[in-house]
């Protein structure tokens, strides 16, 4: 009786709770990623001590994922999708305040453009979906639209990885510092976009389990959970490799913007929403994607050397040296 009442309670949670969960997820995700970047700045992994800042950041990011799953479960996409782009602004503010990374007019303009583009893109998929049982959720992975989506994600990830490998072996350090935030952000977001779709599926399955349905004996649910865990590890590895080499103010907005874009496309492919897309939804999606592309290109125009020139310019205006003593991003 207690289990069934808990499931009913979760099912009746309204849009206000879903919106609150989404805002909490954005706050936790931004805080955790910035803390992990701070750990890399302090070179905790290169010293004998325990990297407690990195693990604390991982715990905070994990809490953000929990709130994300609750938001996806309890509120329509029209309410929570635009709120996920708040993370882009939070990352920029947190990187500037806590990491002392300088933010110039280029970073401000690019971040605002990315925020507008991510919000506009999210409105494309603003439609609630009916509750489905376990086998319906499993069968939907075989849809043609989702198969095409997975193929595109795999191709884009492979191209980005190959281009990253090529740039680190053939291009100058300046060119690498321009491309690294874009490439690491794309790779992490491609993996994370598929992860968002699986998180939505797991959240719905979990809701059914809480409502008293006997799903845990099915092999399908454990396959989905296993793939989800593998993707989490891959995303964590790619994102932290980027954090070691890139300024957070450049990497995190690119990562979050593409994560929203790829996640929305994944949800649309999984729920077969592309077939029912109306003209205004298509315009909204394409316009938002275009703004995201423009914003990321602006950030990619900023090299690490230009970023450090801004820091030295600020120092010459009388800022204390202690405020600027942040370890430089590692260069190969």
């Amino acid at each position: 009786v207690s289990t069934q009442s808990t499931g009913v309670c979760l099912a009746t949670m309204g849009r206000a709770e879903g919106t609150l969960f989404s805002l909490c997820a954005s706050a936790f995700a931004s805080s955790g990623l910035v803390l992990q970047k701070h750990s890399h700045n302090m070179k905790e992994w290169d010293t004998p001590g325990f990297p407690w800042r990195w693990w604390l950041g991982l715990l905070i990011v994990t809490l953000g994922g929990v709130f994300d799953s609750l938001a996806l479960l309890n509120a329509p996409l029209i309410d929570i999708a635009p709120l996920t782009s708040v993370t882009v602004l939070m990352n920029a503010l947190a990187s500037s305040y806590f990491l002392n990374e300088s933010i110039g007019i280029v970073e401000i303009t690019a971040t605002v453009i990315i925020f507008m583009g991510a919000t506009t893109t999210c409105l494309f998929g603003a439609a609630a979906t009916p509750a489905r049982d376990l086998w319906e959720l499993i069968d939907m992975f075989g849809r043609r639209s989702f198969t095409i989506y997975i193929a595109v994600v795999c191709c884009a990830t492979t191209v980005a990885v190959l281009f990253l490998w090529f740039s680190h072996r053939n291009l100058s350090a300046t060119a690498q510092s321009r491309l690294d935030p874009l490439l690491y952000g794309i790779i992490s977001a491609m993996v994370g976009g598929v992860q968002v779709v699986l998180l939505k599926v797991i959240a719905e399955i979990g809701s059914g389990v809480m409502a008293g349905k006997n799903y845990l004996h099915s092999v399908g649910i454990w396959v989905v959970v296993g793939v989800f865990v593998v993707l989490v590890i891959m995303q964590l590895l790619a994102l932290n490799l980027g954090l070691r080499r890139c300024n957070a103010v450049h990497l995190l907005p690119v990562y979050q913007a593409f994560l929203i874009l790829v996640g929305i496309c994944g949800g649309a492919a999984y729920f077969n929403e592309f077939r029912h897309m109306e003209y205004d939804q298509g315009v909204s999606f394409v316009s938002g994607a275009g703004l995201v592309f423009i914003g990321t290109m602006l950030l990619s125009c900023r090299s690490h050397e230009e970023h450090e020139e801004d820091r030295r310019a600020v120092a010459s205006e009388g800022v204390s040296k202690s405020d600027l003593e942040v370890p430089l991003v590692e260069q190969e």
Side-chain angles (χ1 to χ4, degrees), residues 80-296:
I80 66 171
L83 294 176
T84 58
S85 58
V86 173
T87 312
V88 177
L89 297 181
M90 289 185 175
N91 284 334
L93 294 175
S95 299
S96 175
Y97 185 79
F98 293 106
L99 300 178
N100 290 331
E101 293 184 357
S102 61
I103 297 182
I105 187 63
V106 174
E107 285 82 6
I108 294 174
T109 302
T111 301
V112 171
I113 291 176
I114 289 174
F115 172 76
M116 294 172 58
T119 303
T120 304
T121 301
C122 288
L123 296 178
F124 147 75
T129 57
R132 296 176 171 87
D133 62 25
L134 173 62
W135 297 114
E136 285 181 303
L137 294 171
I138 298 298
D139 289 341
M140 288 164 63
F141 284 115
R143 281 181 167 172
R144 180 181 179 183
S145 57
F146 191 74
T147 302
I148 295 174
Y149 165 78
I150 291 296
V152 172
V153 168
C154 291
C155 290
T157 305
T158 302
V159 171
V161 170
L162 291 176
F163 203 91
L164 185 66
W165 175 83
F166 174 83
S167 66
H168 284 186
R169 284 158 177 76
N170 298 278
L171 301 182
S172 64
T174 300
Q176 291 179 35
S177 64
R178 293 178 187 272
L179 290 173
D180 279 352
L182 178 62
L183 296 176
Y184 278 113
I186 289 176
I187 294 170
S188 304
M190 289 294 168
V191 178
V194 181
Q195 180 183 318
V196 168
V197 178
L198 295 181
L199 182 61
K200 170 65 175 176
V201 174
I202 292 173
E204 291 203 15
I205 294 175
S207 177
V209 172
M210 296 296 291
K213 296 181 180 179
N214 189 16
Y215 288 160
L216 296 180
H217 296 292
S218 172
V219 177
I221 182 176
W222 299 113
V223 172
V224 173
V225 172
V227 174
F228 177 79
V229 172
V230 171
L231 291 178
V232 168
I233 296 173
M234 291 174 60
Q235 184 196 34
L236 189 65
L237 177 62
L239 190 56
N240 275 271
L241 287 174
L243 287 173
R244 285 179 67 90
R245 293 183 55 85
C246 310
N247 290 300
V249 72
H250 290 163
L251 172 65
L252 295 183
V254 174
Y255 158 71
Q256 191 65 38
F258 275 97
L259 178 64
I260 294 170
L261 183 62
V262 178
I264 291 295
C265 288
Y270 180 76
F271 293 106
N272 207 22
E273 294 177 354
F274 285 119
R275 179 176 297 179
H276 307 290
M277 186 193 306
E278 298 179 359
Y279 175 77
D280 56 344
Q281 292 177 320
V283 171
S284 173
F285 179 76
V286 174
S287 300
L291 288 175
V292 169
F293 177 78
I294 293 173
T296 54

